[in-house]
Amino acid sequence: MTALDARTDTTTGLRFPEGFRWGTATAAYQIEGAAAEDGRTPSIWDTFSRTPGKVRNGDTGDIAADHYHRVDEDVELMRRLGVTDYRFSIAWPRVQPTGRGPAVRKGLDFYRRLVDRLLDAGIRPVATLYHWDLPQELEDAGGWPQRDTSYRFAEYAAIMADALGDRVATWTTLNEPWCAAFLGYGNGVHAPGRTSALASLRAAHHLNLAHGLAARTLRGALPGASEVSLTLNLHAVRPCSQAPEDLDAARRIDAVGNRVFLDPVFHGRLPEDLVRDTASVTDWSFVRDGDLSAAAAPIDSLGINYYSPSVVGAGSSESPSPWAGAERHVRFEPAPGPRTAMDWPVDANGLHELLIRLRDELPGVPLVITENGAAYDDYADPSGNVKDPERVAYLHAHLAAVHRALADGADVRGYFLWSLLDNFEWAYGYSKRFGIVHVDFATQRRTLKDSARWYAEVIARGGLAEA
């Protein structure tokens, strides 16, 4: 598959390369439910969501979309859509409740059953080891700011490779470590809810180390054809003007939003400007000899999660801030254009910008869009239909941007739509719906939205109907 395979055909529209992977994605805590069944113990998100005032309406993931009990139904939905791949995450406390020691058999059996159902349906399983649900006992011991958590994560990776390595071909170590580090430990809007710039930077480093240790563990335990990956929510950062102070604001956000992960993982180094920017917070002495080379363990692809761009200028941000070293120098400005129910701007050009940047900065690294989608206030009408034309327009524009990046030489191998199901949307609880399948949380009834039918047609066609 090459970029030359992506073409515009006047009769069939925008065609994607042969073998392009068409997927959808979910996360364990957002859909599984069964929070206390079969040996599962609390994660940091169980604790956080049960803390008054942390999650809208006091919602928790205790039941969520009840996927734990509805695996067969949900896999059948994916089969009907025609997806080639399904990206799911494994709940660490479901298989290793304390983050240490042996696995719980029933927890492993759940994921074995899910993977078997996917394979029976002709769907390729893509497993993510960490989508933010750290076992609470590990947080009680210090969490991601503590070095030991990185080693516990590598042990957990070994458990999962042994359990599923013969059937799962693609493994992602971490999903969006920026959110885990800077929203979880910096401004506290995500679990575990801590507010410390130092803790967020320590967490970022130990997540990088955990990724590298787990990647090497997986590489040693999996069949030779298996793929090891990492997913980052890279920020498409734009200065509000070309004034030097606004350009510097964009540089600062790029350092703590993007290069804090890109540089260690792909180049085995810390960004020098980030070290300068954060000198008042830390001297980075928690980085030990060998850590950065460990973080730079080779991977087979990079996952990109993209929703909207960021526009920044010189100024200051609210405190506590997730932007360690930048909070007193940067303000965020609203981007123009329509907005989603999350109040995020809709701008597919940002996705193209990121892909072209990565084409240039990481030559030879295959890219996969591992999350892209939008929340809108859709609902089932009296006839039982869920019409969501805004989501269809959003997805169409972003897939067109991916196609344009392919034509411009970016090595993009697949697209995973976020999300399969309406779910527990973190601090927003059940108030935001990203799914292409509507979930009535009172009855757990699933209903295909118009966007699901549209996506099924895109998959069947191998691209978009019109240029």
Side-chain angles (χ1 to χ4, degrees):
M1 180 179 69
T2 70
L4 295 178
D5 295 319
R7 62 195 184 278
T8 299
D9 187 297
T10 56
T11 59
T12 57
L14 301 180
R15 296 293 301 277
F16 281 69
E18 194 72 28
F20 192 81
R21 292 157 59 182
W22 297 100
T24 188
T26 63
Y29 189 72
Q30 293 183 271
I31 67 166
E32 283 182 4
E37 291 187 32
D38 295 335
R40 184 188 181 279
T41 57
S43 73
I44 55 175
W45 268 98
D46 293 280
T47 302
F48 187 80
S49 64
R50 293 168 189 165
T51 303
K54 296 297 185 182
V55 175
R56 187 170 296 184
N57 301 320
D59 293 337
T60 74
D62 288 358
I63 299 173
D66 198 32
H67 174 70
Y68 191 78
H69 300 111
R70 297 171 184 268
V71 166
D72 291 352
E73 178 182 0
D74 292 340
V75 172
E76 174 60 17
L77 284 172
M78 287 183 265
R79 189 196 64 77
R80 289 173 58 192
L81 293 175
V83 298
T84 63
D85 293 62
Y86 173 53
R87 178 176 177 254
F88 64 95
S89 79
I90 296 161
W92 190 350
R94 191 177 295 287
V95 300
Q96 197 187 28
T98 66
R100 296 181 174 84
V104 171
R105 181 184 60 80
K106 287 186 177 180
L108 292 177
D109 285 348
F110 168 71
Y111 295 106
R112 291 187 178 111
R113 186 168 69 253
L114 168 61
V115 168
D116 288 346
R117 298 295 185 274
L118 291 168
L119 293 173
D120 289 344
I123 299 169
R124 189 171 180 272
V126 178
T128 299
L129 288 173
Y130 188 73
H131 200 131
W132 308 349
D133 43 4
L134 185 72
Q136 182 61 45
E137 286 201 24
L138 289 185
E139 173 60 23
D140 293 343
W144 286 113
Q146 292 302 310
R147 184 181 188 85
D148 184 64
T149 307
S150 304
Y151 294 96
R152 302 288 75 74
F153 183 70
E155 292 175 0
Y156 157 59
I159 288 172
M160 295 314 306
D162 180 67
L164 297 176
D166 60 333
R167 284 164 286 175
V168 174
T170 297
W171 292 81
T172 301
T173 55
L174 306 173
N175 177 81
E176 298 187 357
W178 186 88
C179 294
F182 294 99
L183 300 184
Y185 295 92
N187 70 348
V189 300
H190 278 194
R194 290 161 64 177
T195 55
S196 164
L198 175 58
S200 69
L201 293 169
R202 290 177 61 97
H205 172 65
H206 293 132
L207 283 157
N208 281 332
L209 177 60
H211 156 73
L213 295 173
R216 291 185 180 183
T217 297
L218 292 169
R219 191 75 71 195
L222 296 172
S226 300
E227 298 176 5
V228 177
S229 184
L230 167 70
T231 283
L232 301 177
N233 58 312
L234 296 176
H235 299 78
V237 186
R238 299 170 181 165
C240 63
S241 82
Q242 294 301 301
E245 59 271 24
D246 294 333
L247 292 172
D248 186 65
R251 177 201 61 76
R252 287 176 179 271
I253 296 302
D254 185 60
V256 74
N258 296 331
R259 289 181 284 114
V260 65
F261 300 107
L262 289 173
D263 280 18
V265 169
F266 290 100
H267 306 296
R269 68 190 183 213
L270 288 171
E272 292 181 2
D273 58 334
L274 176 64
V275 174
R276 291 194 302 269
D277 292 344
T278 56
S280 64
V281 178
T282 180
D283 60 3
W284 293 83
S285 58
F286 50 82
V287 179
R288 298 185 185 175
D289 289 346
D291 283 4
L292 295 173
S293 60
I299 59 176
D300 299 296
S301 64
L302 175 64
I304 307 300
N305 292 357
Y306 173 83
Y307 294 93
S308 61
S310 300
V311 179
V312 301
S316 61
S317 302
E318 292 183 5
S319 184
S321 167
W323 305 103
E327 64 272 31
R328 291 191 295 274
H329 303 273
V330 178
R331 74 180 190 282
F332 286 80
E333 296 196 351
R339 309 183 87 77
T340 70
M342 298 288 287
D343 198 32
W344 295 347
V346 178
D347 188 340
N349 289 327
L351 178 55
H352 179 266
E353 292 167 11
L354 277 178
L355 293 174
I356 297 308
R357 170 184 176 172
L358 295 169
R359 175 202 67 185
D360 296 340
E361 294 185 4
L362 302 176
V365 178
L367 308 174
V368 179
I369 309 305
T370 40
E371 285 185 26
N372 177 242
Y376 289 104
D377 296 323
D378 36 51
Y379 57 90
D381 67 21
S383 300
N385 299 313
V386 183
K387 300 182 183 301
D388 55 346
E390 292 174 309
R391 181 174 291 108
V392 170
Y394 178 100
L395 296 171
H396 187 287
H398 286 76
L399 276 170
V402 174
H403 186 276
R404 184 156 46 97
L406 276 162
D408 290 340
D411 185 7
V412 186
R413 303 290 181 91
Y415 176 90
F416 288 73
L417 190 157
W418 184 271
S419 177
L420 175 67
L421 303 170
D422 289 337
N423 55 36
F424 174 86
E425 187 48 42
W426 308 115
Y428 292 92
Y430 297 101
S431 67
K432 305 298 181 185
R433 293 180 177 269
F434 275 89
I436 56 172
V437 176
H438 181 273
V439 177
D440 181 331
F441 293 107
T443 65
Q444 294 297 337
R445 179 176 178 175
R446 274 83 160 129
T447 302
L448 294 178
K449 301 179 185 180
D450 284 357
S451 57
R453 296 184 176 87
W454 174 86
Y455 191 46
E457 292 174 359
V458 169
I459 296 169
R461 185 182 298 112
L464 300 172
E466 65 277 348

